[in-house]
Amino acid sequence: MIVIMEPGATPEQIAAVQKRVEEFGFSTKLAPGAERMVIGIVGVPLPDTLKEALERLPGVEQVVRISKRYKLVSRDFHPVNSVIRVGDVAIGGDDVVVIAGPCSVESEEQIITTARAVKAAGAKLLRGGAFKPRTSPYDFRGFGEKGLKLLAKAREETGLPVVTEVLSPNEVDLVAEYADVLQIGARNCQNYLLLEAVGRTHKPVLFKRGMAVQLEEWLLAAEYIAAQGNDQIILCERGIRTFETYTRNTLDLAAVPAIKRLSHLPIIVDPSHGTGRWQLVPAMMLAAVAAGADGLIVEVHPNPDQALSDGSQSLTFENFATVMPQLARVAEAIGRRLPLPETTSEYAMMAPAE
Amino acid sequence: MIVIMEPGATPEQIAAVQKRVEEFGFSTKLAPGAERMVIGIVGVPLPDTLKEALERLPGVEQVVRISKRYKLVSRDFHPVNSVIRVGDVAIGGDDVVVIAGPCSVESEEQIITTARAVKAAGAKLLRGGAFKPRTSPYDFRGFGEKGLKLLAKAREETGLPVVTEVLSPNEVDLVAEYADVLQIGARNCQNYLLLEAVGRTHKPVLFKRGMAVQLEEWLLAAEYIAAQGNDQIILCERGIRTFETYTRNTLDLAAVPAIKRLSHLPIIVDPSHGTGRWQLVPAMMLAAVAAGADGLIVEVHPNPDQALSDGSQSLTFENFATVMPQLARVAEAIGRRLPLPETTSEYAMMAPAE
Amino acid sequence: MIVIMEPGATPEQIAAVQKRVEEFGFSTKLAPGAERMVIGIVGVPLPDTLKEALERLPGVEQVVRISKRYKLVSRDFHPVNSVIRVGDVAIGGDDVVVIAGPCSVESEEQIITTARAVKAAGAKLLRGGAFKPRTSPYDFRGFGEKGLKLLAKAREETGLPVVTEVLSPNEVDLVAEYADVLQIGARNCQNYLLLEAVGRTHKPVLFKRGMAVQLEEWLLAAEYIAAQGNDQIILCERGIRTFETYTRNTLDLAAVPAIKRLSHLPIIVDPSHGTGRWQLVPAMMLAAVAAGADGLIVEVHPNPDQALSDGSQSLTFENFATVMPQLARVAEAIGRRLPLPETTSEYAMMAPAE
Amino acid sequence: MIVIMEPGATPEQIAAVQKRVEEFGFSTKLAPGAERMVIGIVGVPLPDTLKEALERLPGVEQVVRISKRYKLVSRDFHPVNSVIRVGDVAIGGDDVVVIAGPCSVESEEQIITTARAVKAAGAKLLRGGAFKPRTSPYDFRGFGEKGLKLLAKAREETGLPVVTEVLSPNEVDLVAEYADVLQIGARNCQNYLLLEAVGRTHKPVLFKRGMAVQLEEWLLAAEYIAAQGNDQIILCERGIRTFETYTRNTLDLAAVPAIKRLSHLPIIVDPSHGTGRWQLVPAMMLAAVAAGADGLIVEVHPNPDQALSDGSQSLTFENFATVMPQLARVAEAIGRRLPLPETTSEYAMMAPAE
């Protein structure tokens, strides 16, 4: 941490900073500049409290943090990529992994049909919401445990492991009983008690970035999970909130190579929430893989115009099956693989969509 | 709800929209324009699902929602200002109410000294955190129940009702046992299970706006609390996230008159989190009251440079006591009142700070 | 400037940084930390080029600038408030100055009637657009020189100095011939050639903040004007662009006390563009003055529903006259003055609006 | 345009809206809803002034625009992709076109060496700044006409057409004398007089999106160029301003497929400004092409750590030559082409970087 004094700071003010640092048990080094004194603080880890305390002292202009505040999820301390295994699937290795399925589980037929269709097109995991956070209390909020059971049934039928969201510490055990991967949604990115609750399970966690959360804050939030002993964390970029209104969110694809530099954790991309418009989803799937994402999570629905939620951003089976072979070619172009089933589906054999 | 068709939409596409609306149980009216057909949908309340379903249909360009989605908290259905009572204090009436205290409860002496100082300067409620959400898992997270007990002791000593944050549905009963007002923090603004949990209590709720939450979404979130039967909601603007980095957040004071138009609920302002810099807090306290806020929540600490959290944005006793008489004059200037104790404190008699 | 090395930086990498700094003619100091080496750079002013060059070097994690990049407009080098004089009016002194008038000059009658009405209510300058930047090329773009002549006529009739926008270096001389204050709009905040052109005049400049411009960048842009010899700069906060859509922009009132700390220049506020809704304007006028603004610029129109631009954010004469006495009371409450004409207008005697 | 009345709007208020619309020369249709009256306005084009006028009328809750405000650049009126030709190069056709070169022209050797290197690696146009907009008045601002001459010399040597920025209407003729493509930078995206000045030339225009400009506003700004008779417009996404600070801007790649839907103009991407960090540039080059961009503009410098501007975001010759063959493979994967020179450079034969 570095303390930058104001130009006219007095020797007494400088001494007061040094004294305060020593009270916290750390030592200082003075580095006089042309216009101002700079005070370096030696020690690790330096708490936020110290930063805030020093910012208050007279004569202090600014306090700059130097060391990173996250450790367990940092690439500095774990240079090799982490690979998260879910059944036979490895996320964070050479293969690009696609997770697909409806926003909400709506019926046995819907979820099983979808599971079969996305599996036939090359998806490796099934997504589906049983507990749904909704902006309005008057909207459909999911089937709860019944939805979990239908997901389990779809897994039984197809062999696809399932990913589903958990909303509250109280529901972690219930959801973990059925799900292969626990999803933390964007609204809960800084719900620290929930993060700790999933951190205490042994399940992989698909951890979405919050709508107003910077990369460093996201990694600090992931640190909450890791600090409880669960390092099976898959980060998921799903768009941030900006002034642009044409898209539902602004998908921050530069987060993919950025996270790869900062952390050893795998990162996947959600182009459905990232754009909110199904017409933009295929292009952003291709872009995400080209950017180096370890996978995708995509909304697919048998009849999006009948969906109980997120219909406007869901792909049809045909849309999904059409883009998958292109996605495999892009993966190959950058030296990765996206293995497709040998018997390609009827859609995959069709000409690429416009 | 209004459906705007693309310029070249066919009669079949228009009929398909009408059919879909009827399947949901609503009726339509056609309104042909110069370039496009517009289809009005009659009925209330129209679910989001319908909007998403129609957005998917071929030939549809855009679907615009007309009716507001919140009802219980809307001024349309409740034109008179709500007044929330906490002990003898009324929030939302003529008087401007100031809530003050430390970010975190740190010791018996700290909280009691602070309670006495802020009461002497004119505060009517005491704030103090026992359960603290922190960006890093390695920072101080509050004293938990011990902190609640110290708050109760400070109330006993001074008569000030206490406001404190609750982080999880599991802790609502515990916190409600000690607190007079339950605070929902910005990070939990869309933690709907927590909102419903406080909605099931009979305690007033101080409900902060989330960092990336629009006014309409905030009111929809408040609707979650109200829908459980608790309409004792005090909204609190605390700054939103923008590209500006000089301040910790961007305090959106226009939210004050805007919420007054949209809702009957009282709204207060938190200039401490809203700016993150104590030097800017007094000016924003004055501005918030001039904008029509029903109150303020302000961080005050006996020794901000010793604080365990948020030291850089906390006022000293002296800062606080100095600004309160100015605040009272501003309240009076716009036709409201901020009654100060008869025996003014030593600080209040000092000349106004620069 | 401080260079923070990566944890594993080698002695050769550190030496390379030192060598590069010396090539720029500056010297370095090493400050070893617990985890990383920190290198201080001594010298002033340090160019951005050096920062960018060092960010490229292997082993460098981050380069942090310490000294401010603006000098002429900085309070560090000019601790006393600047006061800008326009005729008899002083902006930046004890008096709060209100500038009012229509968005666009539309006719002789419109501008003269408005000038009289706003003067009667206490405005000290007249605003009015002759050259208008419009988002769409198909909208009304102002009367050009004819508009300037009408402004001059309104000044002749009422004695109010006039403020009007200039859009291009080519038009600076023409506009300066008629205007008392040259306005630079938000879209031109970083149009550096235009800033230099107004910097070469001797006219006061009303300089609006850009929609995506941080405080430091705004002051650096003001430095372009000052560097040409014109230090008659009045800063104007007019709202920034955020995700909130209820208001046209998000008015950043904390910029007022922040700029007061960073710069000696006066700062005023534009609540009309800052909110985009006339119903919110009076509350934000009051708030801006309470926050310490040196003045306001407000859109007032005889018949806002007939206005050729910005009708939805303009006050009527009655709205304006009603809020001015309240504004004067708020100014007084914080120890400033807003002198109103002795014969108050008919509106000013009415009861305060809701 | 649609006018949504408040729930309690009176027949007189509805009549007043109809009257106002008729005064503008348009007609209305009433569409009564369950809670409110909706009034459709028939006519094209409907001016913003009408929208603002109606927003002011009593009883009006909201006015929603239905028709698009841009025509010339809209795909609605020009369904086929536009292809812009610069010498032998076609932008907007099947081939992906890469523009590369230094941020600023710094010397004859620098620009000619760079031109040769980027050509050898597959670039089809040369970029280089002669007139530079800089945040601080104390930074290097380009060589002006001397820079233009050096660009022309580099074109002579290599045959690459040149792209360079123009800052002011006064300089358009001078820059057009030397440049093959006129660049409008992000800060000038809404400098309408400059847009009209380049609109009056017959040169292709590379038109960057502003930092706080929505897609619709960007297309409306492009309409300013087209309305002057120049439809040779290449749009360029270069990142928008958000709360994320790890990257210099947030590159909005979803703008690529979105613009393809809204407009017939080609769109390219600038990953250098879009990220501000050279380490992230190759990944975002690949992602942009996968998203469907018609080309890229990338900063390449012989010695980025010696660059006079933007060193931290420039690729070396080696970085650039390494990514180009990968880029060609990604282009092919999505059915496009990026032809590389037959004699591949020494770098291109190296193994792909990390």
Side-chain angles (χ1 to χ4, degrees), chain C residues 56 134 138 223-224 314, chain D residues 56 134 138 170 223-224 314:
Chain C
R56 277 305 299 230
R134 299 304 301 264
Y138 306 122
E223 191 90 358
Y224 270 92
S314 298
Chain D
R56 276 306 298 232
R134 299 304 302 263
Y138 306 122
N170 298 342
E223 190 91 357
Y224 270 92
S314 298

Side-chain angles (χ1 to χ4, degrees), chain C residues 132-141 187, chain D residues 45-49 65 68-71 190 192 196 216-224 227:
Chain C
K132 300 295 305 169
R134 299 304 301 264
T135 306
S136 161
Y138 306 122
D139 279 323
F140 173 65
R141 296 169 70 184
R187 290 180 182 82
Chain D
L46 298 169
D48 242 28
T49 317
R65 185 178 268 290
K68 284 178 189 140
R69 296 156 76 193
Y70 48 90
K71 305 281 167 193
Q190 295 186 311
Y192 301 123
E196 294 190 323
E216 194 206 4
E217 294 164 338
W218 189 16
L219 291 173
L220 277 165
E223 190 91 357
Y224 270 92

Side-chain angles (χ1 to χ4, degrees), chain B residues 256-277:
Chain B
V256 173
I259 287 289
K260 287 280 173 203
R261 283 174 57 77
L262 299 172
S263 175
H264 54 88
L265 296 175
I267 176 166
I268 69 169
V269 171
D270 174 352
S272 306
H273 289 86
T275 63
R277 291 178 177 256

